[in-house]
């Protein structure tokens, strides 16, 4: 009974705007924890609180793949200290070793982090049994809510992608409450959501692929959000439109604020090793400078950043931006 109540509690709080925050660093890649704290407080003060969102640190946009263990532990501590129970917390776990992933999960739980976002192991292409055993090992070794991350683009070909069979097996694990969901196949994306939305909280990770409100119509509970780092009013507006079933209004706002700008972003040196390149480029274009991209991801050029800024200016996006870098000075 206690496990069922905890699972319900975790599902009830895994919803809304899932803010993937950047990791702040100086030009030598030393963490700037004072800036990290300031930004976290600002997000909470601007409405990212219980029932409305979750703050994710060391995720994709936080360059979790490129952090050393000490940096990861320090970020987890800062997140818990600044959230103070006002907003659910999450941290990214990207490990090939299930033992190492479980150790991080236990540490997160001991600190009071509510969820981990955990990717499947990937070195060579894993089998379904190996993916399930990775999640089962961490589930059985720790007591923290788990958001499973479907990342077929991060695998060697042929990529591993969550199918119905793995969903059935993951549903037997008590700590797994959500799926961070994207797919190159739109039919598969919608079919799995339609079939399993009662078992898991699906979190949308397909903003730029033209899904619009289709995910929410079929039971999506929240979405990964980079824009919220500078424009929380916009993120909360989008969420409220979905909760009010104002799907046409949501689609119109999504079209002008995310989809159309995405069509015009410059390509940055071809395929990228991590999300740090595009994430920090977009945030810097919007006025939030979190520092350079962690090695050895491609550093966006000033011309790239200017081109993105021009796209946002033309879209009217800056009407929603409330962040100002002078907040750090105050």
């Amino acid at each position: 009974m206690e496990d069922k109540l905890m699972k319900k509690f975790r599902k009830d709080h895994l919803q809304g705007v899932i803010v993937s925050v950047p990791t702040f660093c100086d030009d030598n890649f030393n963490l700037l924890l004072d800036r990290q704290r300031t930004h976290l407080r600002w997000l909470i003060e601007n409405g990212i609180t219980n029932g409305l969102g979750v703050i994710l640190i060391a995720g994709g946009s936080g360059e979790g793949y490129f952090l050393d263990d000490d940096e990861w532990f320090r970020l987890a501590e800062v997140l818990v200290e600044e959230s103070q129970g006002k907003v659910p917390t999450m941290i990214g776990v990207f490990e090939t070793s299930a033992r190492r992933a479980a150790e991080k999960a236990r540490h997160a739980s001991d600190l009071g982090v509510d969820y981990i976002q955990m990717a499947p192991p990937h070195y060579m292409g894993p089998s379904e049994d190996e993916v399930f055993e990775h999640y089962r090992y961490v589930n059985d070794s720790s007591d923290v809510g788990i958001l499973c991350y479907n990342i077929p683009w991060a695998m060697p070909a042929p990529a591993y992608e969550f199918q119905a069979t793995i969903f059935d097996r993951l549903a037997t694990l008590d700590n797994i409450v959500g799926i961070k969901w994207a797919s190159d196949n739109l039919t598969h994306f919608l079919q799995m959501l339609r079939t399993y939305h009662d078992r898991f909280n699906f979190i949308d990770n397909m903003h730029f692929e033209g899904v619009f409100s289709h995910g929410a119509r079929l039971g999506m509970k929240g979405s990964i959000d980079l824009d919220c780092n500078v424009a929380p009013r916009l993120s909360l507006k989008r969420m409220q439109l979905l909760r009010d079933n104002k799907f046409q209004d949501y689609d119109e706002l999504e079209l002008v604020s995310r989809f159309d700008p995405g069509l015009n972003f410059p390509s940055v040196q071809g395929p990228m090793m991590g999300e740090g390149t595009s994430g920090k480029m977009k945030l810097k274009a919007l006025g939030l400078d979190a520092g350079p991209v962690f090695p050895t991801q491609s550093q966006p050029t000033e011309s790239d950043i200017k081109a993105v800024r021009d796209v946002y200016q033309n879209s009217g996006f800056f009407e929603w931006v409330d962040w100002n870098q002078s907040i750090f000075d105050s």
Side-chain angles (χ1 to χ4, degrees):
M1 178 62 71
E2 186 175 340
D3 288 343
K4 290 182 179 179
L5 289 174
M6 177 55 73
K7 190 164 189 173
K8 182 181 185 305
F9 177 86
R10 286 171 173 160
K11 287 186 70 176
D12 288 347
H13 287 77
L14 180 59
Q15 59 176 301
V17 181
I18 317 299
V19 191
S20 186
V21 300
T23 298
F24 291 84
C25 65
D26 64 18
D27 289 344
N28 293 315
F29 311 107
N30 300 302
L31 297 188
L32 297 177
L33 295 181
D34 286 346
R35 292 197 167 200
Q36 198 81 52
R37 291 179 184 277
T38 297
H39 182 246
L40 291 171
R41 291 177 201 148
W42 183 83
L43 288 171
I44 294 169
E45 291 166 359
N46 281 270
I48 306 305
T49 54
N50 284 309
L52 298 177
V54 177
I55 296 181
L56 164 63
I57 209 163
S61 296
E63 303 173 272
Y65 279 98
F66 306 96
L67 302 173
D68 66 32
D69 285 350
D70 180 64
E71 291 165 343
W72 187 94
F73 291 129
R74 291 163 71 195
L75 287 171
E77 291 168 359
V78 165
L79 178 60
V80 172
E81 289 168 2
E82 294 303 328
S83 66
Q84 298 182 11
K86 297 175 183 177
V87 60
T89 53
M90 182 185 298
I91 189 165
V93 174
F94 309 99
E95 299 289 342
T96 301
S97 164
R99 293 174 298 158
R100 189 64 181 140
E103 182 179 345
K104 284 187 170 181
R106 286 191 295 269
H107 185 80
S109 177
D110 290 344
L111 283 175
V113 176
D114 298 295
Y115 307 97
I116 60 170
Q117 173 191 285
M118 189 166 74
H122 48 285
Y123 166 56
M124 297 180 180
S127 68
E128 181 179 297
D129 285 344
E130 290 170 325
V131 171
F132 175 74
E133 286 302 316
H134 187 81
Y135 281 108
R136 185 197 62 76
Y137 188 95
V138 175
N139 176 87
D140 294 352
S141 302
S142 61
D143 185 22
V144 65
I146 300 173
L147 177 70
C148 301
Y149 189 3
N150 186 51
I151 51 166
W153 56 85
M155 303 286 182
Y160 179 84
E161 179 161 14
F162 291 173
Q163 305 290 334
T165 49
I166 191 75
F167 283 134
D168 287 335
R169 299 172 76 179
L170 292 174
T172 66
L173 303 179
D174 289 334
N175 291 327
I176 292 182
V177 291
I179 307 292
K180 183 175 175 182
W181 187 229
S183 174
D184 290 332
N185 185 320
L186 182 57
T187 299
H188 180 62
F189 175 85
L190 296 173
Q191 284 178 339
M192 294 299 97
L193 174 57
R194 175 70 170 169
T195 304
Y196 291 99
H197 72 273
D198 289 334
R199 299 198 203 179
F200 307 100
N201 282 19
F202 279 81
I203 303 301
D204 193 351
N205 196 36
M206 281 189 70
H207 301 303
F208 296 105
E209 285 79 2
V211 175
F212 295 97
S213 62
H214 294 305
R217 293 170 191 254
L218 294 180
M220 196 77 73
K221 297 298 185 184
S223 63
I224 299 295
D225 199 309
L226 181 70
D227 299 341
C228 190
N229 286 289
V230 295
R233 281 188 299 117
L234 175 59
S235 299
L236 292 169
K237 174 70 172 178
R238 290 178 182 137
M239 183 198 67
Q240 193 58 52
L241 288 173
L242 293 177
R243 289 184 172 181
D244 292 342
N245 294 328
K246 294 181 178 179
F247 299 123
Q248 183 174 343
D249 291 344
Y250 173 88
D251 288 343
E252 291 173 358
L253 183 58
E254 185 82 346
L255 189 68
V256 299
S257 66
R258 266 203 284 230
F259 188 79
D260 284 348
L263 292 175
N264 297 302
F265 286 150
S267 60
V268 184
Q269 302 176 27
M272 294 174 288
M273 182 165 64
E275 296 99 319
T277 304
S278 60
K280 283 189 170 175
M281 176 182 69
K282 292 172 186 175
L283 291 177
K284 190 170 183 179
L286 290 166
L288 191 159
D289 185 355
V293 176
F294 283 93
T296 52
Q297 303 167 91
S298 299
Q299 296 289 346
T301 66
E302 288 302 318
S303 61
D304 290 331
I305 294 167
K306 181 183 182 303
V308 171
R309 185 181 298 117
D310 290 343
V311 169
Y312 277 126
Q313 289 280 11
N314 293 333
S315 73
F317 191 100
F318 275 93
E319 296 176 10
W320 295 96
V321 173
D322 292 322
W323 173 262
N324 188 301
Q325 202 77 353
S326 66
I327 293 169
F328 287 139
D329 299 327
S330 62

